[in-house]
Amino acid sequence: MEKWSKKHLLGIKDLSRREIDIILELSASFKEISKREVKKVPALRGKTIVNIFFENSTRTRMSFELAAKRLSADVVNFQSSASSLNKGETIVDTIKTLEAYHPDIMVIRISSPAALYLLQKYTKASIVNCGDGKNEHPTQALLDMFTVKEKLGTLENLNVLIVGDVLHSRVARSNIFGFQKYGAKITVCGPTTMIPYDFENMGVDITYDFDTAIKKADVIIMLRIQNERLKSSFFPTIREYVDKFSLTEERYKLRKKNALILHPGPVNWDVEISSALKEKVHPLILEQAENGLAVRMGVLYLVGTEKRSL
Ligand code: CP
């Protein structure tokens, strides 16, 4: 009998292919719950989950809260902008205070990867990473992989193209770790200033030619320009960025017929993707959001019932 053995979900890098399969299979079985009249099962009844967001979020925060509620856990939300951090309380004192409520799972988004590891000193709870700066966003990659598997029927040996602000993207890193476990050939494409010099060491191809790369891709992940992390100008003008790296109507026509266009959201329309393509590409981006709820139910169930037989 197989058992889930990971207490935390800190990154896709740490997961085996088998563990990803387990999360995706379980999430598929949870997806149906959100379509029932009574959208609730007792899987995590009696468990307490704290959602801790030090950075802004709509999709991740809302879907983790809903996921916890659909599994019957008690859930409370900590939003840094409305907290006693504004009265000068430190992050460590804040975490110690939240630990005093005996949570079973801490779901956290924070700008520093080191903070996630430090957190383990101050809590007995399982930790789920919802984005640690530029490092990883594991549940985003899991929901992207879930969406691809649902649409294409497989994750094996795909050509995956990741376009845009790769430098600041935790979504790119988690997806690279994830898809590579299934034999994907990954290509990243963006302005020279937004492609990290060490990405070749991760076994990915680098290109600055979107028009050529899009023709071969099975999956195209358009990344958000992370304006909040841009401390200087990484490209001369938006117009120049759009000219080379935006998914325009013309480029859309170059894609393979069944290629999937993903975006983690929120989309800067007419920057990463032309708004003229909204009707064509937004429905799948919204399906990604829907799948995010199922995947987060799967993740919470597994870390919340760690060491139980599957
Ligand atoms: N994709 C994503 O993480 O979106 P939010 O920042 O809205 O959670």
Side-chain angles (χ1 to χ4, degrees):
M1 183 76 70
E2 213 170 353
K3 289 189 195 314
W4 181 260
S5 61
K6 289 253 173 10
K7 176 171 180 177
H8 309 298
L9 176 65
L10 300 180
I12 297 290
K13 195 177 181 181
D14 312 325
L15 294 180
S16 68
R17 184 182 150 129
R18 178 65 193 138
E19 287 167 332
I20 295 175
D21 284 341
I22 289 171
I23 296 172
L24 299 185
E25 281 160 25
L26 185 64
S27 304
S29 70
F30 280 142
K31 186 169 174 181
E32 167 271 328
I33 293 167
S34 294
K35 294 181 181 147
R36 292 183 192 168
E37 200 175 327
V38 177
K39 302 173 180 59
K40 225 176 186 34
V41 291
L44 290 184
R45 194 167 52 196
K47 301 277 183 184
T48 300
I49 299 175
V50 188
N51 289 334
I52 306 165
F53 280 76
F54 292 104
E55 291 185 340
N56 295 339
S57 169
T58 297
R59 279 148 282 270
T60 314
R61 193 178 68 75
M62 301 274 300
S63 57
F64 262 112
E65 181 176 350
L66 274 174
K69 287 179 171 166
R70 293 207 172 151
L71 296 173
S72 303
D74 295 318
V75 56
V76 285
N77 295 301
F78 170 88
Q79 184 67 40
S80 61
S81 58
S83 75
S84 290
L85 286 172
N86 294 330
K87 301 179 201 163
E89 190 165 32
T90 64
I91 290 181
V92 167
D93 280 355
T94 301
I95 295 296
K96 285 179 176 173
T97 303
L98 297 175
E99 177 64 6
Y101 305 134
H102 303 286
D104 298 287
I105 304 174
M106 285 195 183
V107 168
I108 183 159
R109 173 172 286 186
I110 196 158
S111 58
S112 159
L116 270 193
Y117 291 88
L118 189 68
L119 183 59
Q120 293 174 48
K121 270 176 64 177
Y122 300 109
T123 180
K124 294 193 191 78
S126 292
I127 298 165
V128 178
N129 178 7
C130 288
D132 55 339
K134 296 185 274 181
N135 183 40
E136 280 229 40
H137 190 352
T139 58
Q140 179 67 47
L142 288 166
L143 77 88
D144 290 342
M145 296 170 84
F146 182 100
T147 305
V148 169
K149 192 165 181 200
E150 199 172 60
K151 292 291 167 196
L152 299 182
T154 182
L155 288 171
E156 299 293 338
N157 304 320
L158 296 170
N159 271 311
V160 178
L161 175 63
I162 303 177
V163 185
D165 184 0
V166 180
L167 180 67
H168 299 99
S169 180
R170 52 198 178 203
V171 175
R173 289 173 61 80
S174 287
N175 269 306
I176 290 168
F177 291 133
F179 280 102
Q180 278 184 336
K181 292 179 201 280
Y182 294 84
K185 178 173 162 25
I186 314 255
T187 306
V188 296
C189 176
T192 48
T193 48
M194 288 182 150
I195 304 289
Y197 66 90
D198 61 342
F199 258 42
E200 267 169 347
N201 299 337
M202 291 177 78
V204 306
D205 289 342
I206 295 173
T207 183
Y208 309 103
D209 179 358
F210 190 8
D211 290 348
T212 302
I214 196 171
K215 293 177 187 158
K216 291 182 262 172
D218 303 301
V219 177
I220 301 147
I221 302 175
M222 301 302 299
L223 298 174
R224 183 172 71 85
I225 295 289
Q226 307 227 348
N227 290 309
E228 71 277 21
R229 296 189 212 279
L230 303 189
K231 294 199 173 60
S232 58
S233 184
F234 282 78
F235 42 85
T237 61
I238 290 285
R239 199 166 162 177
E240 197 159 318
Y241 181 89
V242 168
D243 187 44
K244 293 201 166 83
F245 302 109
S246 181
L247 184 66
T248 57
E249 284 181 285
E250 292 70 36
R251 286 201 178 99
Y252 185 76
K253 288 180 196 148
L254 299 176
R255 81 199 190 288
K256 277 173 146 177
K257 194 164 144 274
N258 294 329
L260 301 178
I261 313 288
L262 304 182
H263 191 300
V267 182
N268 295 307
W269 294 104
D270 292 321
V271 180
E272 297 108 39
I273 303 178
S274 165
S275 55
L277 291 170
K278 216 177 212 180
E279 277 186 29
K280 293 192 173 85
V281 303
H282 208 201
L284 185 59
I285 293 170
L286 296 175
E287 272 189 61
Q288 286 177 262
E290 180 185 2
N291 292 336
L293 173 53
V295 161
R296 284 154 185 151
M297 288 171 79
V299 166
L300 289 179
Y301 178 81
L302 288 168
V303 299
T305 56
E306 179 214 358
K307 294 198 168 60
R308 269 198 217 165
S309 299
L310 295 167

